[in-house]
Amino acid sequence: MGTNMVVISVVVVYLAVMVLIGYLASRKIQNNEDFLVAGRKMGPWLLAGSLAATEVGGGSTMGVVEKAYGDWGFSAFWYVSAMAVSFIVLAFIAPMLRRAMVKTVPEYFTKRYGKKNGLVTAIIMMLPMVGLTAVQIIASSTILSVMTGWDYTLSAFIVTAVVAVYSVMGGMYSVVYTDVVQWLLILVGMALIIPFALDAGGGFTALTADVPEAKWSMTDGTGIGTITALVIMYIASFTVGQEAVQRYYSAKDEKAARNASIITSIVYAIFAFIPAFIGILMYGMVQNGLIDGSVMAEQGANYALPLMAVEVLPSFVVGMLFAALISATMSSASSNLLAAGSIFTNDIYSQYFNKNADDKQLLKMIRWTMFIVCGLSLIIAVANFTDIITLLVFSFTLRAGGAFIPYVVGHFWERATAAGSMASLILGSITVALAENGIVGFGGLDPIFPALAVSIITFFGVSLLTKNKPSEMIDGEEADIPEARLSKTFE
């Protein structure tokens, strides 16, 4: 069997297994809660595997290799290390999130601040999901295109179809089980490339002889400002990110949620150096003439990792690596799809379009939403937006800029009001848009800093100047937002 056929066979088997897991998981689905939060039965190790695979996607693999090969050098490892720091912080927040007993972040805002806040939050959370899913489709399609020689657009259609099928079938059960398998493949597949690359390049000394010393710096490439911004952005974004907190909502108890965060942080701290080191090795191979760098010049540096794999790895190992890379991207895509379906159905459809929807109708709407988000993400992916990390950071920052402060503080500050939350949601999000598009410079700060500053000022300022109404009607029932009842609402 030819090299290309071996690679394709390995990946096809992998894709088939993912679909099979989705089918088997679908047999566990009895109701809406099973689909959205896996019946709240997940232990720490399953949750940790799922969290790890969910947030390690195209940006953390191909994106980090691209940045390490380019301007960031070895300091690109901070892109993932910042995630490790954020999950240590989340370990303290996770039990509180699990205690809320909700299915989505907007549902919390509805219970805490009322329906209008819930609706605005749902819209803010839905929009980035299209971009986040598109990033993963772009990365997966790039891998498949390099691996098979197929047209990029055809590869994008194939990837989107597979992700949609297994995600829609099994919901959270499917996503968690496939995530665990995918995370194991990510670790093994990415790690395998290092010894083979060193062997192909004649050893570490020969391979890195032409790598400038500056590229080995632990901080210079990214810069302290960017590292700090990444840590703050991840803490804020993962705390309100539906694809992350939905795992905590699925935990069997608060202890499982906390331990899952700690395990995830340790795994990220170890994994972070692998793609950064691969990017440096790739740079050395191009400088030494072992790999033709013209492909990156013509098509973008996001082709760095797939090209390196094809050049230096045995065919079976190439198949393993590509399966690992597709695992990383597809696990993130499936999580984002489930998050989008959960938010739209739980917080928009059932609140405004069909208040009496039964479980069957809700499940149908979740699945249709996932298909639609897949389609929109495919359109962006076919446009082939090449800077994966730029699109990721914008999407993460947009959803965190206005929602993080009212979401976290609202759990324990009784004085927080619906008006304060709304001001934070709207003005914080607008600040992100202004900063990202260069309309307002904010002194060159990363957008997350001015966005959170505006959010803090407006949330606390407006809350202190206003009071919650005695009660707010939601579908004919009182919302659980009165200050005196706050602690009981989230027990």
Side-chain angles (χ1 to χ4, degrees):
M1 184 181 291
T3 299
N4 200 44
M5 286 304 300
V6 172
V7 174
I8 294 174
S9 298
V10 171
V11 176
V12 167
V13 169
Y14 157 75
L15 294 176
V17 170
M18 293 300 101
V19 173
L20 176 61
I21 291 174
Y23 168 73
L24 295 175
S26 70
R27 300 169 67 179
K28 290 177 171 285
I29 305 300
Q30 300 296 323
N31 53 48
N32 184 40
E33 185 163 290
D34 284 344
F35 194 91
L36 295 182
V37 290
R40 303 190 196 274
K41 299 174 182 176
M42 294 294 166
W45 288 100
L46 270 178
L47 287 177
S50 185
L51 279 169
T54 294
E55 302 301 352
V56 169
S60 304
T61 52
M62 293 174 63
V64 172
V65 172
E66 173 188 344
K67 289 294 187 182
Y69 175 83
D71 295 337
W72 284 10
F74 191 64
S75 68
F77 80 88
W78 277 107
Y79 184 82
V80 178
S81 292
M83 294 183 186
V85 175
S86 71
F87 273 99
I88 287 295
V89 176
L90 278 166
F92 295 95
I93 301 174
M96 179 179 67
L97 302 181
R98 173 61 177 82
R99 198 178 307 131
M101 290 299 291
V102 294
K103 301 182 189 73
T104 65
V105 173
E107 183 182 347
Y108 169 83
F109 275 82
T110 297
K111 285 187 172 184
R112 179 65 177 88
Y113 301 113
K115 285 187 71 173
K116 292 178 181 178
N117 272 269
L119 176 61
V120 171
T121 307
I123 294 170
I124 292 172
M125 295 295 161
M126 280 286 294
L127 291 175
M129 287 303 170
V130 177
L132 291 171
T133 305
V135 166
Q136 309 311 330
I137 293 175
I138 290 169
S140 298
S141 304
T142 300
I143 297 162
L144 194 61
S145 177
V146 171
M147 176 188 72
T148 61
W150 296 340
D151 177 71
Y152 171 84
T153 301
L154 173 63
S155 300
F157 274 94
I158 292 172
V159 166
T160 304
V162 173
V163 172
V165 168
Y166 84 73
S167 302
V168 166
M169 281 196 295
M172 180 57 80
Y173 276 117
S174 173
V175 170
V176 168
Y177 291 140
T178 53
D179 277 353
V180 172
V181 174
Q182 289 165 332
W183 177 243
L184 292 174
L185 280 172
I186 292 166
L187 282 176
V188 173
M190 290 290 288
L192 278 176
I193 198 171
I194 294 176
F196 283 101
L198 291 173
D199 181 66
F204 177 81
T205 301
L207 187 55
T208 61
D210 293 324
V211 176
E213 185 177 345
K215 288 191 76 67
W216 288 106
S217 171
M218 301 283 278
T219 58
D220 288 350
T222 51
I224 298 299
T226 298
I227 294 169
T228 304
L230 284 171
V231 172
I232 293 174
M233 179 198 70
Y234 284 139
I235 292 171
S237 184
F238 292 167
T239 303
V240 299
Q242 181 66 25
E243 84 287 347
V245 298
Q246 200 159 354
R247 270 77 184 155
Y248 296 129
Y249 298 156
S250 303
K252 65 180 181 180
D253 53 36
E254 296 171 28
K255 182 178 179 181
R258 181 183 65 251
N259 290 343
S261 269
I262 295 171
I263 296 168
T264 303
S265 177
I266 294 170
V267 171
Y268 278 167
I270 296 170
F271 174 77
F273 297 94
I274 296 176
F277 189 54
I278 291 173
I280 294 292
L281 295 183
M282 179 70 180
Y283 183 89
M285 297 184 85
V286 171
Q287 294 301 308
N288 293 349
L290 297 173
I291 293 178
D292 183 1
S294 62
V295 174
M296 275 82 77
E298 294 172 3
Q299 302 186 28
N302 57 322
Y303 277 81
L305 184 54
L307 177 63
M308 183 179 187
V310 170
E311 293 288 338
V312 307
L313 297 181
S315 58
F316 179 77
V317 180
V318 172
M320 286 288 294
L321 175 64
F322 283 166
L325 293 176
I326 294 176
S327 292
T329 54
M330 289 176 62
S331 63
S332 297
S334 62
S335 298
N336 294 329
L337 287 177
L338 180 60
S342 302
I343 290 172
F344 180 81
T345 303
N346 193 67
D347 304 295
I348 298 178
Y349 174 75
S350 65
Q351 293 287 332
Y352 296 94
F353 295 100
N354 191 351
K355 296 179 180 180
N356 300 314
D358 57 25
D359 274 335
K360 184 177 180 180
Q361 291 171 310
L362 291 174
L363 285 172
K364 183 177 180 180
M365 182 51 59
I366 294 170
R367 286 168 167 146
W368 272 112
T369 303
M370 292 168 75
F371 277 127
I372 292 171
V373 172
C374 254
L376 294 174
S377 301
L378 177 61
I379 292 172
I380 296 174
V382 169
N384 201 7
F385 187 96
T386 56
D387 195 335
I388 292 174
I389 287 183
T390 297
L391 184 54
L392 272 174
V393 169
F394 172 70
S395 298
F396 283 145
T397 306
L398 178 61
R399 71 182 184 188
F404 173 70
I405 297 300
Y407 182 56
V408 174
V409 177
H411 280 81
F412 56 85
W413 190 44
E414 294 186 358
R415 190 65 181 79
T417 68
S421 172
M422 184 65 76
S424 173
L425 287 169
I426 294 175
L427 295 179
S429 300
I430 289 174
T431 302
V432 172
L434 293 175
E436 284 285 354
N437 291 286
I439 298 173
V440 180
F442 294 107
L445 292 172
D446 283 275
I448 191 63
F449 293 116
L452 288 179
V454 169
S455 174
I456 290 169
I457 293 169
T458 55
F459 175 70
F460 285 100
V462 174
S463 289
L464 291 171
L465 293 172
T466 59
K467 291 184 178 180
N468 280 326
K469 297 176 181 179
S471 64
E472 183 169 330
M473 302 303 292
I474 300 180
D475 296 342
E477 299 179 0
E478 290 186 358
D480 290 323
I481 62 171
E483 296 169 13
R485 294 164 54 194
L486 176 61
S487 61
K488 293 183 179 180
T489 301
F490 303 107
E491 287 180 352

